[in-house]
């Protein structure tokens, strides 16, 4: 037996809005939608996916988990994400090649330059 990454659950103030945002970012589809829960993935039965669940309270403090997104063109992909509603969180330190952004609800994630 072994473990494999099935998905990531995200607490959200507005699960439908945030799920649609991430679906557009990742080229995923909405697979299931209920008032307080929305699931996205590339296609049904594919993993990993993401599950957005209605949060009981606003997030306080920094994320303890950050998604890392690989990209083809760092400048173009960051511009696209910002145009979609992401915001810059911090400038990358000189020794770190990634950029830290936050989604529309403030969840931080990293965009990695092309390998």
């Amino acid at each position: 037996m072994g473990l494999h990454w099935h998905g990531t659950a995200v607490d959200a103030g507005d699960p439908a809005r945030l799920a649609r945002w991430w679906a557009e970012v990742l080229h995923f589809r909405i697979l299931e939608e209920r008032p307080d829960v929305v699931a996205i993935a590339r296609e049904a039965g594919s993993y990993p996916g993401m599950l957005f669940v209605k949060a009981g309270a606003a997030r306080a403090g920094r994320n303890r988990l950050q998604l890392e997104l690989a990209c083809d063109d760092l400048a173009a992909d960051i511009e696209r994400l910002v145009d979609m509603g992401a915001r810059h969180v911090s400038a990358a330190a000189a020794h770190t090649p990634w950029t830290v952004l936050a989604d529309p609800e403030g969840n931080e994630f990293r965009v990695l330059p092309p390998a």
Side-chain angles (χ1 to χ4, degrees):
M1 299 205 132
L3 299 174
H4 65 278
W5 181 30
H6 181 79
T8 300
V10 179
D11 288 345
D14 185 343
R17 177 176 166 253
L18 197 58
R20 281 176 173 66
W21 192 86
W22 278 102
E24 185 175 345
V25 167
L26 299 171
H27 306 287
F28 279 17
R29 300 180 320 139
I30 303 292
L31 298 181
E32 179 180 351
E33 185 169 359
R34 298 189 310 249
D36 292 339
V37 178
V38 181
I40 67 172
R42 280 204 197 286
E43 57 188 49
S46 69
Y47 302 100
M50 295 179 78
L51 185 69
F52 297 85
V53 181
K54 179 73 174 169
R59 181 178 66 85
R62 187 171 178 252
N63 296 32
R64 292 191 173 233
L65 174 72
Q66 288 184 352
L67 295 180
E68 291 187 339
L69 305 179
C71 70
D72 296 322
D73 181 330
L74 187 62
D77 288 320
I78 289 172
E79 181 179 357
R80 174 179 167 256
L81 290 164
V82 170
D83 287 347
M84 290 174 59
R87 65 177 174 77
H88 285 271
V89 172
S90 62
H95 65 283
T96 58
W98 58 78
T99 299
V100 180
L101 300 175
D103 71 18
E105 289 198 5
N107 300 300
E108 296 175 10
F109 60 97
R110 294 178 186 169
V111 181
L112 309 174

